[in-house]
Structure formats: structure tokens, C-alpha cells
Amino acid sequence: MKFRSRYYIRRHEVLPLCLLLAGSSITVTPLFAQTSGNEEVELSTITVNAYRPADTISAATKTDTPLAETPQSVTVIERNELDARGVQNLNEATRYTAGVLPESQGIDNRVDDLYIRGFDAGSFSNNVTLDGLRVPSNGGNSWNRVAFNAWNLERVEVLKGPSSVLYGQIAPGGMVNQVSKMPTLDQEQQLRLQVDERGRYQSAFDVGGTNDSERARWRLVGLFSDGDTQIDETSYQHWFLAPSATFTFNDDATQLTLLGSYQENDGGSTFQFLPYQGTVIPAADGYIDNTTFLGEPGWNTYDRTLWTAGWQVDHELNERWKLGQNARYTHVDSLYRASVGNGVRGAALTELNTLQNDRILARRAVQGEGEAKGYSIDTRLEGEIETGDVIHGVLAGVDWQKSDWDFFRQAASVDPNAIAIDIYHPVYTYYDFAPTLFAQTSTEETDKQRGLYLQDQLAWNQWRLTIGGRYDWFEIDSLNRLTDTRAITKDQAFTARAGLIYLFDNGLSPYVSYAESFQPATGTTRDGSTFEPTTGTQWEVGVKYEPRTIDGMITLSAYDLRQENVLTADPRNDADESFQVQTGEVQIRGIELEGRVTPTPGFSVIGALTRFDSEVTRNNDGYQGNRMIRVPEWMGSLWLDYSFWSGPLDGLSIAAGARYVDETYGDLGNYLHIPDYTLYDAALRYDAGRVGNTDLEFALNASNLTDERYVATCSAATSCYYGSGRTVTASVNLRW
């Protein structure tokens, strides 16, 4: 498109805007560039570090808006940073992001489980988005979830705070948009071979090309991984293929991209229910090792098939207006089998010492089968209007999504004490649970949402104002197949947002914003009427800073986030009643500082600091005044990466990082206290292409370098979850 930029170029911005993003390093040779005042500025030769901050973000406004003009706290993690840090999944991608608690429920190779500003934004939240479209929803008791491999991602975009104005129903803390790799004109071919200290191996490739006229281009991304995991007796295999093709028509006015993926996971699950006694507090012989497997080797399965197919099309109507559409079909089915510690997540905490003789764990066995089909389509009209000196970037859109899912959960009718296990010296029973299974839940559900949204991004001199509104209609039609009863929830919701930012010439950009969100609340009141949606509101103030002498961006933000209409006990309940009312409320006030800067050529710094103040402000269950679950008071992280570009160490890069998470609580009663922890990461890379003629790179990445044993959280006295232990991965990368 030839839209007029609402982000005018200042003379001191010419250099950083001309630096191209590089996979390892680039050299910019002397050239001349035009400033906004038509002055020619000579750009000197300069070497840039392995990765640098992004310039734009699409998820925050569904337009390519510069980060400096986005009036909210956002984070963009580019492909080159993912490679440099050795990222394997979404949890690892967000480790150095303010306000985000990754791996919030411990090590789990089934899903990406993370919290943003105190609210679930991972695979179990129904908030997962790929290329701006939500994946299929599932019920709270379903284990059939979606998780995409990070190798097929071009970037990860983290939005902090309510985002319903563009996406409809979503948690108030924020969301993560994963952006797929797609064909490019300058496609670099890549092959990667990896192995970790457990012998787990992985091979991956990323190839593509164009036809002679460059009107058609293609890309194929794939990966195969197999081997052991951190957990004893647990191995799994994973592979995927993701083809895509882009075609241009009508003198380049129309661009169509077809893309899809096919992914399989086969093997065991690393997720375990561990007792509070033996993980947070010592049992007879101290603590359980973070590699110990307390399930049954013959009853530990997570097999999943996930595939997608869709398109993205953009058509230029004229120089100022264009029409765009994204659409995708997603299918996921899975089988989950596990034997875990006996107990119920969220159960009343009457006793934290649950082991027999301080070492024997009673167990239970479960099986879950699920299937989900998701349909999503988003159509947008984007254009530019001028009213006097004000330029309006207008976006109008309509989206529709539907999820059809079913889930069948069974439990084994076996005495938990008959299959108990010693937590220090496990001896497996190899019990055949299949003949003893009985149905626990069987659900078939259809979820629908359609929404209309309108957004205006106004630019006047150095002021930028973003305003938007959206109206949603949603329906949840759920059938309990065990009782043959149906529950239907229908409602609608309006959400809005507004943000104002001012761009100073020195790189400072202060802003203020307001945003809303909603989520459906299922169930009925005492009189049988359905609940209204749970709502979220946030006020945020902050300042962004783009240094004029170095490359980077720093964001400081403060916010007040509230979730209202939260379900809580009906104060009129008798002893045998469990009706609920919507008078509950929780609040999080926070301060976040995050930066990605390159102070000197070859040196990159990523830093994040978070301060949370969470509180259950209204509640009838006895929790008022308590802290929210999985919300630490402090989090901090720092990643330093230095590359040598001359001398005897030419081509060598050294990186180190540290991550701190303060103490948390695993329940609203604040009985399950989770200690704080500090983890260290490191990386060593050598670019052989800098001393030879081949683009060959060797890398060694380590996370949790000291193999710290830590508890991510607990949801009951029998349901605690260790975080990931040490992982050291060696890689060989070949580019051509």
C-alpha cells in the first residue's frame, strides 16, 4: 500500500530506520538517505548486533503500527531473538517479558501455560491466537489443547491489558499473538540439527523460493524431534510440516497467501501432580527430585494430532484503501492417560501433610479423549482519511468464529492405596487400568462468536489518538451426554478503548490509555437466569523511550486492572446449597519496566522488572483481602548478549541471563505458599561464516543452568508442579 505514514521521519531517526534486521550480523555500507526536510545524510558503515527491537506491531491495532505510536505496553519478540536465546516453545519465548509469568503451572510438554498481568493467557485459557485468529475453545475440564511449535513462528507479539475491542471474549490480563513464518522474496534457506544432554535430538528446516516473475513464492517449514525428557520414564516424539504459498495478482494490487500445518505429538506427558509435602516442604527424606516420575510407565500418554488450513488475502482498492481477510480451520484431537497423586485440584485445604509415613503417595488414574474443530474468519477494511490537519487511519471489521468440541473423561475404579508409590524410591505396579475405567464427564459443545469493530487512529502533529469500539454476540450450547441435559448461554457485550500518546523529538513518548474486556460466565443464578459476562477494565499510563544515539526501546508503565462480575458464593445459601452470584471482584495494580537496547555495536540488553499488587477486593467465600493466585509481588529478568566482530574472537557470541520470581500463593485462601526462585540461562554461539566462506553457526544454549529445583505453583495439597530443570542444547545451523 502507498498509505501516507502517520509516523514522520526525523533526521536523527534515519540511521536506525535504515538498519536491516539480520539473523546474525549485517554491515551497512555508506549511502545517502532523504530526511523529512529533504536533506541528504550520509550513513557510515556500522556493524549491528545479532538482534534488535521490532519497529512495528500488528496485533495491538490489526494494522502495522510503530511501537512508539502504540498507547499501551506491548512486547515483540523477533525471530532472530528467538534463535539467539534457543527458544523451543512459547513459554521460553516470553521468559524475558515484563508482566508475564511463563510456565505458570510447571513443566508440561502438552501446552503453553502462561499468565499475563495475573490472568491465564495460555493454552488452558481459550485465549491462544495464531496470526490474529483464535484457536478452538475447549471446556475447563478438557485436556484437548492446542500448542504450536516455535520453529514455525516469525515473531511473538505480547499485548498487556484488555484486548476485547479487536478480539472479542478474552481474559483481561492480555494475550499472545503468534505470527507464522510465510514466504518472502529474499528467503534464506536453513537447516538446523540439535541434541540435548539427555540425548534428545531434533532436526529442522526452513526453505523457500520464488518463480521467475516473483509473483509466486513458497515456503516449507518442518521439524522432527524424538527422545527423553526431564522426567524419568518419559519420552515423546514430535514433528510438524507447515507449507505456505503467496501469489500476487492485478499488478500487485492483490496478494493471496495460502498456509497450513500438520503436527503430531506421540509419547508421554511431563505433567505430574506432586504433593505439597516433599516439594514445598520436606517429607521423610527431604525433597522429591525434579526428575522423578511418580506415575505409571504403561499409563502415561499424550498423543495429539493438530492441523490447520487457511488463507490471508489483501487487496488494494486504491492508494488509500485496502481490504483484508484472514481465515483458518483448525482441528485438534488427543488422547491423555496419566496416573497421578490422589486428590482434587482446588479442594479445601485442611491438611498439607498428605503422605503416608511421610513418603508414600496414594494415586489415581485417569483417561481423557477429546476433539475440537475451529472455524475463524476476520474481514477488515483499512484506509486513510484527512480532515484538515488530522490524518485518520480507519479500520472497520467483522469477524466470526465457531468451535465444535467434545471431551470424554474417565477414571479408574482402583483403590488409591493399592497403587500407592514411594516418592523417593518409586516401584511401578504396571497396573492395567483400562478394564476399570468408568465415565466421569462427557461433554459436547458448540461455541459461537461474531463481532463488529471500528477503530480510528488519529495523527495531528506529534499527537496520536487511538479510539475503538466493538459489539459481540456469543452463544455457548453445551450438552452433558451422561445426563442428557443441555445448557445454553446467549448474551452480547460492548467493549471500548482509547489511548493518547505524544511523540517528543527527543524520543520520549508518554501515553495514557483505557481498555475493556469480557468473558462469558456459564451457569445460572438461584432463579435460573444466566449470568452476565465477566468484565475487565484497565487504566494505564506510561512512557516509551527510543534513544537517539543507540538502537532500542524502553517502556515504563503503571496500570490499575480490575475484573468484575466474578462468580462468588450466594450469601443466602443454606449449608447444602452452592448457588453463586456475580458480586466478586479482583484488582491488580502494577508497574512494569522493560527494554531492548543495543548500547554499543555487538552488545544487546533485554531487561524487565515487574511490581504486582494484587487483591481479592470483593468475595463471599472468605477470601476478601487476600492475594490472587500465581501473582508474585516482584519479577525481574536480565539478558546480556555480546558478539565479537574482530580480533581472535571474531564470530564468537556470549550471552547470559537471570530470571527472578517472588513468592506466590496457589490458592485464594493463601494457604499454599510457594517460595521464590532465581534461574540462570546462558548461550555460546560461533559464526563460522565470519572466518570462512560458509554460513555455518554452532550454538550451545542452557536454561536453568544450576538445575534449580523449584515449584512453579500448587493448586491443592496434592497438586504441586515442578518447573523445568536444566536443559543444555547443542546446535549446528547451516544457512545458504
Side-chain angles (χ1 to χ4, degrees):
M1 290 296 287
K2 299 177 181 177
F3 292 148
R4 184 179 304 176
S5 173
R6 298 186 299 276
Y7 184 61
Y8 65 87
I9 301 176
R10 309 178 184 95
R11 174 171 180 159
H12 48 261
E13 290 175 332
V14 173
L15 178 58
L17 288 176
C18 289
L19 297 179
L20 302 176
L21 194 63
S24 55
S25 66
I26 62 171
T27 300
V28 179
T29 55
L31 51 89
F32 289 87
Q34 293 285 335
T35 68
S36 58
N38 293 323
E39 303 173 37
E40 289 189 343
V41 180
E42 183 176 356
L43 306 183
S44 303
T45 301
I46 185 170
T47 302
V48 189
N49 191 37
Y51 47 94
R52 60 182 296 271
D55 293 318
T56 63
I57 182 170
S58 61
T61 60
K62 291 191 177 179
T63 64
D64 286 329
T65 301
L67 268 68
E69 294 188 22
T70 305
Q72 71 178 106
S73 180
V74 297
T75 299
V76 179
I77 307 163
E78 296 275 26
R79 180 71 247 174
N80 42 17
E81 180 185 330
L82 299 175
D83 289 337
R85 293 201 284 114
V87 167
Q88 301 285 343
N89 53 57
L90 193 59
N91 279 319
E92 295 179 7
T94 57
R95 281 175 172 172
Y96 290 86
T97 303
V100 179
L101 179 64
E103 206 172 88
S104 61
Q105 196 167 271
I107 179 172
D108 190 345
N109 60 353
R110 306 171 303 167
V111 296
D112 296 310
D113 197 8
L114 52 91
Y115 268 45
I116 302 178
R117 289 187 173 177
F119 293 91
D120 192 357
S123 297
F124 285 103
S125 68
N126 294 331
N127 291 338
V128 176
T129 61
L130 177 69
D131 301 321
L133 299 174
R134 185 180 290 127
V135 302
S137 58
N138 275 277
N141 293 323
S142 173
W143 297 306
N144 187 45
R145 300 291 167 169
V146 170
F148 297 101
N149 193 286
W151 177 246
N152 194 38
L153 301 181
E154 193 62 47
R155 54 163 37 180
V156 174
E157 301 176 332
V158 182
L159 310 186
K160 303 169 190 178
S163 298
S164 286
V165 74
L166 290 177
Y167 298 96
Q169 52 185 287
I170 206 162
M175 57 170 277
V176 178
N177 181 46
Q178 302 166 84
V179 181
S180 300
K181 290 179 176 178
M182 296 185 195
T184 62
L185 289 174
D186 55 348
Q187 173 69 44
E188 180 183 58
Q189 320 301 313
Q190 186 172 1
L191 174 66
R192 172 176 295 178
L193 304 175
Q194 293 181 314
V195 64
D196 67 18
E197 82 278 17
R198 302 179 188 94
R200 181 174 186 82
Y201 64 90
Q202 181 168 287
S203 59
F205 63 88
D206 182 359
V207 296
T210 64
N211 67 351
D212 293 338
S213 66
E214 296 187 344
R215 294 189 180 278
R217 49 190 184 269
W218 62 274
R219 190 167 187 172
L220 181 62
V221 184
L223 176 145
F224 180 86
S225 179
D226 196 7
D228 294 333
T229 68
Q230 171 186 324
I231 307 302
D232 296 338
E233 307 290 337
T234 304
S235 61
Y236 82 101
Q237 183 185 99
H238 167 74
W239 67 271
F240 82 88
L241 288 173
S244 58
T246 298
F247 308 92
T248 56
F249 312 94
N250 303 325
D251 296 326
D252 296 336
T254 304
Q255 178 172 291
L256 170 66
T257 298
L258 304 176
L259 66 164
S261 64
Y262 184 89
Q263 174 180 312
E264 284 199 3
N265 300 75
D266 297 292
S269 166
T270 59
F271 185 69
Q272 297 193 86
F273 283 46
L274 303 174
Y276 192 86
Q277 184 187 17
T279 56
V280 179
I281 59 176
D285 292 343
Y287 296 98
I288 304 170
D289 192 87
N290 64 0
T291 63
T292 300
F293 177 60
L294 295 180
E296 284 291 329
W299 198 259
N300 180 29
T301 300
Y302 192 71
D303 294 342
R304 173 175 57 198
T305 300
L306 168 63
W307 64 273
T308 68
W311 68 79
Q312 297 185 11
V313 61
D314 289 287
H315 176 68
E316 296 183 9
L317 302 173
N318 53 46
E319 289 189 352
R320 289 178 176 264
W321 291 89
K322 71 175 181 178
L323 188 66
Q325 185 181 81
N326 291 15
R328 185 178 65 243
Y329 171 80
T330 305
H331 180 278
V332 57
D333 61 77
S334 63
L335 168 66
Y336 176 55
R337 288 173 171 169
S339 48
V340 297
N342 187 47
V344 179
R345 299 169 70 179
L349 297 170
T350 57
E351 177 60 59
L352 296 180
N353 298 324
T354 58
L355 298 174
Q356 303 170 24
N357 300 322
D358 285 343
R359 64 184 307 127
I360 303 300
L361 175 69
R363 297 184 299 170
R364 58 190 174 91
V366 295
Q367 175 176 290
E369 299 171 89
E371 180 181 22
K373 295 173 284 187
Y375 312 82
S376 300
I377 187 167
D378 182 16
T379 305
R380 306 166 304 281
L381 177 65
E382 180 184 351
E384 192 173 277
I385 301 173
E386 293 184 26
T387 57
D389 294 332
V390 179
I391 302 174
H392 301 258
V394 179
L395 177 72
V398 54
D399 64 23
W400 173 85
Q401 51 192 303
K402 176 186 175 184
S403 293
D404 294 319
W405 64 268
D406 65 80
F407 181 67
F408 182 44
R409 173 172 172 166
Q410 299 171 280
S413 180
V414 178
D415 181 359
N417 294 317
I419 55 172
I421 196 168
D422 190 314
I423 63 173
Y424 301 110
H425 303 288
V427 177
Y428 307 113
T429 65
Y430 296 94
Y431 197 100
D432 183 10
F433 296 108
T436 71
L437 293 176
F438 67 93
Q440 280 189 313
T441 62
S442 182
T443 304
E444 181 180 302
E445 184 169 302
T446 296
D447 305 329
K448 299 178 183 178
Q449 175 187 282
R450 65 185 190 277
L452 298 172
Y453 57 89
L454 181 65
Q455 176 182 271
D456 190 2
Q457 294 175 272
L458 298 86
W460 179 66
N461 293 332
Q462 291 168 273
W463 291 96
R464 303 292 183 269
L465 173 64
T466 300
I467 55 176
R470 177 183 172 112
Y471 206 90
D472 280 285
W473 298 263
F474 61 88
E475 177 182 337
I476 302 173
D477 185 346
S478 183
L479 172 66
N480 184 331
R481 293 182 295 201
L482 298 182
T483 62
D484 197 29
T485 57
R486 184 179 298 274
I488 299 178
T489 300
K490 287 185 179 180
D491 212 331
Q492 49 201 4
F494 175 78
T495 51
R497 77 159 172 191
L500 181 65
I501 192 166
Y502 185 83
L503 311 176
F504 283 100
D505 290 334
N506 61 4
L508 286 172
S509 301
Y511 69 90
V512 59
S513 66
Y514 171 81
E516 298 174 339
S517 69
F518 81 93
Q519 291 176 288
T522 57
T524 58
T525 63
R526 179 182 294 272
D527 62 9
S529 58
T530 58
F531 290 116
E532 297 179 355
T534 300
T535 59
T537 58
Q538 176 185 275
W539 284 96
E540 180 176 325
V541 296
V543 60
K544 301 185 179 187
Y545 178 54
E546 282 188 295
R548 295 311 179 212
T549 57
I550 62 174
D551 192 24
M553 174 172 284
I554 301 171
T555 301
L556 174 64
S557 61
Y559 61 89
D560 186 324
L561 174 59
R562 299 169 188 252
Q563 187 182 47
E564 299 174 313
N565 289 349
V566 178
L567 297 177
T568 185
D570 188 333
R572 296 177 294 171
N573 282 344
D574 292 330
D576 59 344
E577 292 182 320
S578 57
F579 294 109
Q580 292 181 300
V581 293
Q582 285 189 282
T583 58
E585 181 188 76
V586 294
Q587 177 187 27
I588 292 185
R589 291 172 293 184
I591 299 175
E592 296 170 358
L593 176 64
E594 181 176 332
R596 280 170 167 76
V597 296
T598 303
T600 62
F603 184 39
S604 280
V605 179
I606 302 173
L609 182 64
T610 303
R611 173 69 168 96
F612 284 130
D613 180 11
S614 71
E615 183 182 359
V616 180
T617 50
R618 291 205 299 267
N619 182 272
N620 298 332
D621 298 297
Y623 304 140
Q624 188 163 318
N626 289 359
R627 283 170 54 183
M628 295 170 60
I629 65 172
R630 305 186 199 179
V631 182
E633 291 189 345
W634 289 95
M635 292 193 304
S637 59
L638 181 65
W639 175 266
L640 307 176
D641 191 316
Y642 186 78
S643 299
F644 297 89
W645 301 127
S646 61
L649 299 180
D650 184 20
L652 182 67
S653 299
I654 301 175
R659 296 173 279 134
Y660 172 76
V661 176
D662 203 357
E663 62 182 13
T664 60
Y665 288 101
D667 68 310
L668 289 179
N670 291 177
Y671 297 108
L672 297 172
H673 174 261
I674 314 300
D676 64 346
Y677 55 88
T678 302
L679 308 175
Y680 300 96
D681 307 319
L684 188 67
R685 304 186 304 276
Y686 180 68
D687 188 349
R690 294 193 55 79
V691 294
N693 296 320
T694 60
D695 294 326
L696 182 65
E697 182 186 66
F698 301 93
L700 191 66
N701 291 85
S703 62
N704 191 359
L705 194 59
T706 61
D707 199 21
E708 177 77 8
R709 182 197 60 82
Y710 69 98
V711 176
T713 193
C714 298
S715 55
T718 54
S719 306
C720 293
Y721 317 102
Y722 274 145
S724 294
R726 179 173 53 224
T727 300
V728 180
T729 304
S731 306
V732 178
N733 300 290
L734 180 64
R735 296 182 174 92
W736 66 97

